[in-house]
Amino acid sequence: MAETTTPKPGTDVTQATSSALVSDLGRTAIADTVVSKIAGIATRDVSGVHDLGGGAARTVGAIRERIPGSRVNARQGVSVEVGERQTALDIDVVAEYGVAIADLATGIRSNVISSVERMTGLEVTEVNITVNDIYLPEEDHDEAEVARVE
């Protein structure tokens, strides 16, 4: 049988349902882009992550990086859904060859959850990770030879 508890006299029942972002004094809204940037940076900080995004996103990112004065897109490869108190994330990564993918996913989840919850106050309900590719160091040498001018 489920046990029900009644609040102690003088206890505010709304305290149990309020969060750091929603209170009697107002609401704090956090944009999707804020959460996706935090998650992207936290993912890149994990050893074994070579890049973020699928094939098309990485191609666009490579083109963008060649433009003088441009920056790396921290949101690349990260999709989020943000509510008033919770968020869910989908992250696409390229893993470095030789890294245990299960351990990599665990590390990504841990770092993303702690970073997003600490910085935003949102509860992270799930972090779905898709490994789109494996990075091989030889791929850089092949690309360099093709891009060489004679």
Side-chain angles (χ1 to χ4, degrees):
M1 221 182 220
E3 187 177 323
T4 58
T5 59
T6 55
K8 295 178 183 175
T11 303
D12 185 8
V13 178
T14 59
Q15 280 181 337
T17 60
S18 69
S19 73
L21 299 173
V22 180
S23 72
D24 293 339
L25 300 175
R27 299 159 79 157
T28 302
I30 298 176
D32 292 3
T33 56
V34 172
V35 175
S36 61
K37 280 184 180 181
I38 293 168
I41 293 167
T43 300
R44 282 183 171 84
D45 285 345
V46 176
S47 179
V49 173
H50 176 73
D51 203 357
L52 271 69
R58 289 195 328 265
T59 301
V60 171
I63 293 169
R64 182 183 303 117
E65 288 175 7
R66 293 176 192 233
I67 299 170
S70 67
R71 295 186 223 162
V72 173
N73 182 1
R75 298 179 298 144
Q76 176 179 306
V78 181
S79 301
V80 301
E81 186 177 334
V82 179
E84 286 185 6
R85 298 182 180 149
Q86 297 178 327
T87 187
L89 301 100
D90 296 320
I91 303 173
D92 295 336
V93 300
V94 176
E96 293 179 358
Y97 178 78
V99 173
I101 293 175
D103 294 341
L104 179 64
T106 300
I108 291 169
R109 278 191 188 92
S110 175
N111 205 32
V112 167
I113 290 170
S114 66
S115 295
V116 170
E117 288 184 347
R118 179 178 47 83
M119 293 180 72
T120 66
L122 293 167
E123 175 192 1
V124 177
T125 58
E126 64 182 23
V127 178
N128 299 311
I129 299 167
T130 302
V131 178
N132 285 316
D133 201 357
I134 298 290
Y135 169 74
L136 301 171
E138 303 89 50
E139 291 176 350
D140 281 344
H141 298 297
D142 293 343
E143 291 174 12
E145 291 176 18
V146 171
R148 200 186 287 175
V149 177
E150 293 183 21

